Amino acid sequence: RYVRQLQRLQLLFSPTAADARGARQFVEEAAQDFARQHPDVVLYVSPRSGPGPAPVLRAEYLNGTVRDELIASKTSEEIVQLATKLANQSGLDIIRIRKPFHTDYPSVQGQWHPLTNKPSILTVQGPRLQPQ
Amino acid sequence: VAKTSLTSPPWPEVKLPDPAEEAKYHAEVVQKVNGLISAGRYGRLFAVVHFASKQWKITSEDLIMMDNVLEAECGDRIRMEKVLLVGADDFTLIGRPLLGKELVRVEATVIEKTESWPKVNMRFWRRHNYQRKKIIANPQTVLRINTIEIYPCLS
């Protein structure tokens, strides 16, 4: 009952640029293994010809966030590690989270208030009802 | 000997009940709780679990995040031992300090393995021309607790 949050990985690079060497090696050697290990991620390889912007690995998640990672001048193992890291992430923004836990049902036996575990005379009579 | 203010302790004296009677009472309570568990008459269960050097109070279907790397892939089911306390609406089972593995079963799935937000680690000494800046992103894992189950084998 586990759904991977990564939708697709787009590998945009140009086959002639010098800094896309790692991307080309990754495509030749490791892309097929990666695709087989993660069968629920779609991997698109789109080479764009001519001198263009830097090679980029774009990850799209199920909640619509798009994350770009530069792969210029990186070896193919580093790109594999980056890709696995992106595949294990979910599309939430990486900001400071205040609590490391989240529950929908915070209390099972009833939330504590100052009158639990006290004799019920206090709720019935009240603290100051006797005449002074 | 005369009685002073320090002869007896200031707290009220507590008389312990008979050990045989107490044993009978304990057996009765244990039987009742066992019957309740086997009949399945409990609502949500919560548990206190010791995991990643921290104690968490968890129910089913809730998220937990830890600042380390587990050796399990995304989507793996994990069984958590080291359960300290299990409670439901009417009864609680308190372990001393742990509960048995045949009593409780807590299952969780690894959902996500990300990194934390980039934290800045900077060192600066004044008048010494020394400053170092480093950006740290810890690896984190997110687990979702699937189920907490108890089995009626008290004694």
Side-chain angles (χ1 to χ4, degrees):
Chain A
R1 213 196 54 133
Y2 165 69
V3 177
R4 196 181 289 278
Q5 292 284 332
L6 183 65
Q7 241 184 338
R8 30 193 138 134
L9 271 177
Q10 271 178 319
L11 194 59
L12 305 164
F13 67 104
S14 76
T16 42
D19 49 1
R21 182 166 46 122
R24 271 174 269 145
Q25 274 177 351
F26 170 75
V27 164
E28 281 161 29
E29 296 151 20
Q32 277 212 352
D33 303 327
F34 180 78
R36 259 181 222 127
Q37 274 157 21
H38 306 263
D40 38 357
V41 172
V42 193
L43 179 63
Y44 293 97
V45 175
S46 52
R48 39 189 184 196
S49 57
V56 128
L57 179 62
R58 178 186 282 173
E60 289 174 35
Y61 292 96
L62 285 175
N63 54 0
T65 38
V66 178
R67 236 183 104 161
D68 293 332
E69 303 270 344
L70 279 185
I71 40 181
S73 348
K74 276 198 180 143
T75 56
S76 129
E77 288 98 12
E78 285 174 16
I79 297 181
V80 162
Q81 273 166 16
L82 238 190
T84 40
K85 186 190 96 167
L86 286 173
N88 286 336
Q89 278 176 346
S90 85
L92 303 163
D93 314 325
I94 301 188
I95 46 170
R96 181 182 83 96
I97 31 168
R98 295 166 209 231
K99 301 189 212 177
F101 44 84
H102 170 81
T103 32
D104 287 325
Y105 306 96
S107 101
V108 168
Q109 291 179 352
Q111 212 171 23
W112 184 89
H113 53 91
L115 286 171
T116 48
N117 300 336
K118 292 264 161 82
S120 59
I121 282 283
L122 289 173
T123 43
V124 170
Q125 240 188 20
R128 292 251 186 101
L129 277 178
Q130 289 107 19
Q132 290 192 349
Chain B
V1 183
K3 290 223 163 159
T4 57
S5 61
L6 288 179
T7 40
S8 60
W11 50 83
E13 201 187 310
V14 173
K15 276 196 209 153
L16 290 176
D18 224 6
E21 270 183 28
E22 221 187 318
K24 259 201 298 184
Y25 179 64
H26 285 336
E28 206 188 294
V29 167
V30 160
Q31 234 188 15
K32 246 195 199 174
V33 173
N34 253 338
L36 271 184
I37 296 176
S38 49
R41 292 187 38 203
Y42 46 82
R44 284 198 88 89
L45 278 178
F46 73 92
V48 171
V49 149
H50 187 286
F51 197 67
S53 79
K54 281 180 278 279
Q55 301 191 359
W56 312 81
K57 174 187 158 303
I58 51 181
T59 44
S60 48
E61 302 164 28
D62 73 350
L63 288 169
I64 279 186
M65 193 168 83
M66 36 212 58
D67 235 354
N68 58 1
V69 172
L70 289 173
E71 277 177 4
E73 295 304 319
C74 284
D76 283 354
R77 257 187 114 91
I78 287 184
R79 190 200 160 173
M80 292 206 216
E81 299 154 10
K82 283 203 215 166
V83 179
L84 299 139
L85 219 201
V86 163
D89 209 7
D90 294 323
F91 59 90
T92 33
L93 304 167
I94 309 179
R96 295 205 202 161
L98 295 177
L99 288 173
K101 290 192 211 169
E102 305 94 20
L103 252 191
V104 195
R105 196 183 164 88
V106 180
E107 299 230 319
T109 336
V110 180
I111 289 191
E112 184 188 340
K113 300 208 299 193
T114 51
E115 308 204 321
S116 73
W117 67 298
K119 301 188 193 175
V120 176
N121 179 18
M122 180 136 179
R123 292 186 284 183
F124 178 80
W125 278 344
R126 51 188 176 179
R127 297 184 295 272
H128 287 263
N129 195 18
Y130 174 74
Q131 53 177 351
R132 307 272 182 268
K133 182 168 172 182
K134 190 171 169 181
I135 297 188
I136 295 185
N138 306 318
Q140 289 170 335
T141 14
V142 177
L143 298 176
R144 187 179 283 273
I145 313 291
N146 296 121
T147 49
I148 306 178
E149 290 155 8
I150 41 175
Y151 308 107
C153 29
L154 293 168
S155 67

